[in-house]
């Protein structure tokens, strides 16, 4: 059993080592699983006491890579779960015995930004050109040796015939098979799913005649780009069915030769030409060369990038130009609509704020009525308001008592469902007046003070001072001042009354305030606790029981001893 496990581990390790990248410059897409590794056969024979260290170049210095949840280094492997744009740079791995360091291998890793509008990056694909009528298979160049990993093939970013094998076989190629094929492998690691993709551009051509002419693949083109963006221009020349050793393919920039790219991209000039590569695809021969532009500049938009192919005294050229991406102007109707909305929206917003301020009371009352809001439920209070008014029998006018004893309860109790505590009406005589007043104010949610020049009496001043103490100090009750008659001098009132907000004062304007829909009753209900309104509301000054001549009926004889 032990031998079998060792054999499986050996086979897996060997299969993985075959995937170790030997080229010095490697491109990988961001967000994908990737690893750097080297075959153990590259280690020196003296292996006792040696350590393997991975480094990344940072500001010209080699920085030791520490193991994290995303980047894992173990012996001859450096894994990225997954690769990020910041991982781009120069990497190296060393073999150290404590006295000497031996560099095993170096790489330059380029992490390419993923194209969010496509399933592949045009700078990260390989091209395979095949003849129609032949058999061919596309191999998924993956980073996984686990056969159980899920594989999905896509053609032009659409799921391709539910293919899930690592090789995509075509028994007989047709021109319709041409396209861009992407294989995606899902890899499980620490409970998360990562993926690795490889993209192949398959070009299927009809059988070519025996006599072929030298040509460059593709026509003259203009490439849309942006200032500061990296561009890689590819030029591929078709040589025919025999490799022509004297064939040359090179780039010119305005008839000037560019500099050559080095093995260290960081040291390369802004524009450089890579080495010539020869390809043998099927029975056809090609040469290809890349021109790398690190950052597109304004002046590059005015250059002609010319690719020249020369062989057998024949010359073919292809011209590539760069141009800025078109920025579409907004259609006139969209621009006009936007401008109108930009002007109207602030105006509408200001108008809405003004309306809300002006009709704040009406809106709050409407909201209470629609939602049937009740602020009195469960607060332990018995009365909605304690009414304090002039009780002095020496008063020359009974209007205030008429207002407090009849008009207020008729409107607030009978029409709007409130429960008032009126001392003269609800408190039985014979008790301790001070204690009774204190007790009933505690049982009430509001203290309504009917204020006039004749308001102050021994009893009324105690009600006022007790209510002010509970409102301003104990914060147990809110006061509503009804200015029943205009007051010219407020010096007779306690100074603490000036601390009350002015919005808690409502003014009685006699006949103008009598209708139930008047501003007086709306303001008063706004200051009262929210309570569902009775449905059988009565309505106008005639419902108040006033005579046709506008005089108030007599309530009763004033008994001073019963009040105080």
């Amino acid at each position: 059993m032990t031998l079998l496990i060792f054999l499986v581990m050996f086979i897996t390790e060997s299969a993985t080592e075959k995937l170790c990248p030997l080229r010095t410059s490697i491109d990988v897409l961001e967000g994908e699983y990737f690893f750097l590794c080297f075959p153990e056969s590259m280690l020196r024979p003296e292996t006792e006491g040696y350590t393997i260290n991975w480094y990344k170049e940072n500001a010209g210095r080699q920085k030791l890579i520490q193991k994290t949840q995303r980047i894992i280094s173990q012996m001859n492997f450096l894994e990225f779960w997954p690769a990020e744009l910041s991982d781009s740079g120069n990497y190296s791995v060393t073999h150290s015995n404590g006295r000497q360091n031996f560099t095993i291998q170096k790489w330059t890793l380029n992490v390419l930004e993923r194209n969010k509008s496509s399933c592949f990056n045009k700078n990260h694909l390989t091209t395979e050109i095949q003849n129609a009528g032949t058999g061919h298979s596309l191999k998924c160049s993956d980073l996984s040796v686990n056969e159980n990993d899920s594989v999905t093939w896509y053609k032009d970013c659409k799921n391709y015939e539910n293919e899930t094998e690592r090789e995509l076989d075509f028994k007989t190629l047709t021109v319709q098979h041409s396209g861009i094929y992407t294989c995606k492998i899902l890899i499980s690691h620490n409970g998360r799913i990562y993926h690795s993709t490889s993209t192949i551009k398959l070009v299927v051509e009809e059988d070519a005649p025996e006599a072929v002419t030298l040509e460059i693949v593709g026509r003259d083109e203009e490439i849309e780009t942006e200032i500061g963006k990296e561009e890689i221009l590819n030029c591929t020349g078709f040589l025919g069915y025999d490799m022509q050793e004297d064939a040359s393919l090179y780039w010119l920039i305005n008839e000037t030769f560019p500099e050559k790219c080095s093995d260290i991209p960081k040291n390369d000039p802004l524009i450089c030409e890579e080495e010539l590569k020869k390809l043998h695809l099927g029975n056809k021969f090609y040469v290809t060369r890349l021109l790398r532009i690190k950052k597109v500049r304004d002046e590059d938009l005015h250059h002609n990038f010319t690719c020249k192919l020369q062989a057998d005294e024949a010359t073919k050229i292809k011209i590539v130009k760069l141009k800025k991406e078109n920025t579409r102007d907004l259609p006139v109707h969209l621009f006009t609509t936007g401008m109108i909305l930009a002007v109207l929206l602030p105006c509408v917003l200001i108008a809405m704020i003004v309306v809300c301020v002006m009709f704040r009371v009406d809106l709050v009352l409407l909201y209470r009525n629609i939602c049937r809001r009740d602020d009195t439920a469960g607060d332990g209070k018995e009365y909605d308001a304690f009414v304090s008014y002039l009780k002095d029998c020496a008063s020359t006018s009974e209007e205030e008592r008429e207002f407090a004893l009849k008009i207020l309860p008729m409107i607030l109790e009978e029409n709007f469902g409130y429960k008032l505590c009126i001392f003269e009406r609800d408190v039985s005589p014979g008790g301790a007046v001070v204690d009774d007043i204190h007790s009933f104010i505690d049982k009430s949610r509001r203290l309504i003070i009917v204020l006039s020049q004749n308001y102050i009496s021994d009893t009324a001043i105690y009600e006022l001072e007790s209510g002010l103490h509970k409102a301003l100090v104990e914060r147990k009750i809110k006061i509503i001042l009804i200015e029943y008659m205009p007051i010219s001098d407020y010096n007779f009132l306690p100074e603490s009354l000036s601390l009350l907000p002015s919005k808690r004062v409502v003014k009685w304007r006699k006949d103008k305030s009598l209708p139930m829909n008047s501003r007086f009753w709306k303001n008063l209900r706004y200051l009262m606790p929210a309570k569902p309104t009775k449905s059988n509301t009565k309505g106008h000054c005639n419902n108040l029981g006033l005579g046709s001549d506008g005089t108030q009926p007599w309530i009763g004889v004033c008994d001073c001893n019963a009040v105080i």
Side-chain angles (χ1 to χ4, degrees):
M1 184 65 180
T2 305
L3 181 60
L4 179 60
I5 294 175
F6 176 77
L7 182 60
V8 171
M9 292 178 61
F10 176 77
I11 294 174
T12 303
E13 184 71 19
S14 300
T16 306
E17 284 194 354
K18 290 181 180 178
L19 300 173
C20 291
L22 298 178
R23 60 191 186 279
T24 58
S25 181
I26 304 167
D27 292 338
V28 63
L29 284 179
E30 65 168 324
E32 295 194 358
Y33 166 67
F34 181 74
F35 65 77
L36 294 172
C37 69
F38 64 90
E40 289 190 358
S41 58
M42 297 179 66
L43 290 174
R44 290 176 173 266
E46 59 277 8
T47 57
E48 275 194 36
Y50 75 88
T51 57
I52 301 295
N53 292 319
W54 289 85
Y55 295 90
K56 181 184 179 183
E57 187 176 313
N58 185 13
R61 295 185 177 183
Q62 298 295 326
K63 183 179 179 182
L64 181 65
I65 297 175
Q66 302 293 338
K67 183 177 180 180
T68 65
Q69 287 186 344
R70 190 177 65 84
I71 301 179
I72 301 174
S73 60
Q74 47 184 0
M75 293 300 291
N76 59 325
F77 283 87
L78 181 65
E79 297 179 297
F80 298 85
W81 297 93
E84 296 180 354
L85 292 175
S86 59
D87 294 328
S88 294
N90 298 321
Y91 290 81
S92 62
V93 59
T94 64
H95 169 207
S96 173
N97 58 8
R99 296 183 302 274
Q100 291 180 303
N101 287 335
F102 302 99
T103 300
I104 300 173
Q105 195 168 348
K106 293 182 179 181
W107 299 268
T108 297
L109 182 63
N110 301 312
V111 182
L112 304 178
E113 186 175 358
R114 180 173 295 278
N115 189 343
K116 295 180 181 179
S117 61
S118 178
C119 65
F120 63 91
N121 187 311
K122 65 179 182 179
N123 297 324
H124 191 250
L125 56 81
T126 59
T127 302
E128 295 187 14
I129 303 175
Q130 299 293 327
N131 286 331
T134 61
H136 187 63
S137 63
L138 300 179
K139 296 181 180 180
C140 187
S141 177
D142 62 89
L143 298 174
S144 164
V145 295
N146 188 348
E147 293 297 330
N148 294 326
D149 289 339
S150 172
V151 178
T152 306
W153 281 92
Y154 300 87
K155 179 184 179 184
D156 299 328
C157 294
K158 295 180 181 178
N159 194 290
Y160 183 69
E161 299 180 0
N162 297 320
E163 286 287 345
T164 59
E165 299 297 327
R166 297 199 174 226
E167 290 192 15
L168 191 60
D169 293 322
F170 301 96
K171 292 183 179 179
T172 305
L173 284 174
T174 63
V175 175
Q176 286 71 28
H177 285 128
S178 297
I180 296 178
Y181 292 83
T182 302
C183 74
K184 181 177 182 180
I185 296 182
L186 301 182
I187 304 169
S188 177
H189 174 71
N190 286 345
R192 293 184 59 185
I193 300 298
Y194 299 87
H195 66 271
S196 172
T197 63
S198 61
T199 302
I200 304 169
K201 181 178 180 180
L202 178 62
V203 179
V204 181
E205 299 179 343
E206 295 287 357
D207 287 338
E210 291 301 323
V212 293
T213 57
L214 195 70
E215 63 178 351
I216 294 179
V217 177
R219 301 178 180 177
D220 295 349
E221 59 180 329
E222 285 188 341
I223 298 176
E224 291 188 348
T225 186
E226 298 175 0
I227 301 300
K229 182 180 178 182
E230 180 186 16
E231 289 290 347
I232 300 176
L233 308 184
N234 183 12
C235 183
T236 301
F238 173 56
L239 302 179
Y241 298 98
D242 295 305
M243 176 57 70
Q244 303 183 37
E245 297 299 334
D246 63 339
S248 63
L249 180 74
Y250 53 90
W251 283 94
L252 295 172
I253 305 174
N254 292 340
E255 304 301 324
T256 302
F257 290 100
E259 297 184 49
K260 301 296 181 183
C261 296
S262 65
D263 292 335
I264 305 176
K266 186 180 72 171
N267 299 332
D268 286 341
L270 288 177
I271 303 177
C272 65
E273 182 184 55
E274 290 195 352
E275 293 295 328
L276 179 71
K277 296 180 181 178
K278 297 181 180 181
L279 304 175
H280 183 198
L281 303 175
N283 58 347
K284 296 182 180 180
F285 292 86
Y286 297 85
V287 286
T288 183
R289 193 188 289 269
L290 299 180
L291 184 69
R292 287 187 175 270
I293 305 174
K294 278 188 176 181
K295 292 182 180 179
V296 175
R297 301 164 297 176
D298 281 321
E299 58 195 74
D300 296 329
L301 303 179
H302 307 289
H303 290 165
N304 286 336
F305 299 93
T306 305
C307 173
K308 274 194 175 184
L309 173 63
Q310 293 180 328
D312 289 340
E313 299 182 355
T315 301
K316 297 291 182 180
I317 64 172
K318 173 185 176 180
I319 298 177
V320 179
K321 293 184 178 181
L322 302 179
K323 67 175 183 178
K324 279 188 177 180
E325 286 184 343
N326 291 328
T327 54
R328 292 186 176 181
D329 293 333
L330 283 175
V332 176
H333 67 282
L334 287 180
F335 177 78
T336 305
T337 304
M339 291 298 295
I340 293 174
L341 290 177
V343 173
L344 286 182
L345 284 178
C347 296
V348 172
L349 185 61
I350 294 173
M352 290 177 64
I353 293 175
V354 171
V355 169
C356 289
V357 171
M358 292 180 61
F359 298 96
R360 178 184 71 255
V361 172
D362 301 80
L363 293 174
V364 171
L365 294 178
L366 178 63
Y367 167 75
R368 292 179 182 177
N369 191 40
I370 293 175
C371 298
R372 307 292 294 171
R373 181 176 170 181
D374 189 355
D375 291 343
T376 65
D379 63 357
K381 302 283 187 178
E382 184 177 350
Y383 299 99
D384 294 308
F386 181 90
V387 181
S388 176
Y389 60 96
L390 177 66
K391 305 178 183 67
D392 191 353
C393 296
S395 174
T396 57
S397 173
E398 290 294 331
E399 291 182 5
E400 295 172 44
R401 296 183 68 247
E402 170 78 8
F403 176 78
L405 293 174
K406 185 171 183 179
I407 296 177
L408 271 180
M410 182 174 292
I411 297 298
L412 294 181
E413 291 185 335
E414 296 182 15
N415 292 282
F416 297 113
Y418 289 106
K419 185 177 180 181
L420 304 179
C421 177
I422 303 175
F423 193 90
E424 191 171 341
R425 182 191 70 176
D426 299 324
V427 181
S428 300
V433 175
V434 172
D435 293 339
D436 286 342
I437 290 174
H438 185 80
S439 172
F440 280 99
I441 290 178
D442 278 341
K443 295 178 182 179
S444 303
R445 301 179 180 91
R446 300 286 188 273
L447 173 59
I448 297 178
I449 298 175
V450 182
L451 197 61
S452 68
Q453 194 74 36
N454 303 319
Y455 174 75
I456 301 303
S457 69
D458 291 341
T459 306
I461 194 63
Y462 178 76
E463 292 171 0
L464 176 60
E465 291 177 346
S466 178
L468 286 172
H469 184 271
K470 292 183 180 296
L472 300 176
V473 179
E474 299 180 21
R475 305 279 184 181
K476 290 183 177 180
I477 196 170
K478 293 181 179 178
I479 295 180
I480 302 174
L481 292 178
I482 297 178
E483 189 178 304
Y484 185 74
M485 290 183 178
I487 299 174
S488 57
D489 183 11
Y490 288 88
N491 292 330
F492 69 93
L493 295 173
E495 292 184 4
S496 56
L497 194 63
S498 62
L499 299 176
L500 290 177
S502 59
K503 64 181 180 180
R504 304 201 67 80
V505 179
V506 290
K507 294 185 179 181
W508 174 260
R509 303 184 187 279
K510 295 189 177 181
D511 293 345
K512 188 177 180 181
S513 297
L514 281 175
M516 277 175 36
N517 62 351
S518 68
R519 180 55 54 186
F520 172 82
W521 294 111
K522 288 182 179 180
N523 289 337
L524 186 57
R525 287 169 56 205
Y526 172 76
L527 297 174
M528 291 289 285
K531 199 168 187 178
T533 305
K534 287 186 176 181
S535 58
N536 57 334
T537 57
K538 304 174 184 177
H540 206 272
C541 57
N542 290 335
N543 295 113
L544 302 178
L546 301 176
S548 60
D549 59 352
T551 62
Q552 291 88 359
W554 178 257
I555 296 301
V557 177
C558 175
D559 184 355
C560 297
N561 295 326
V563 176
I564 304 178

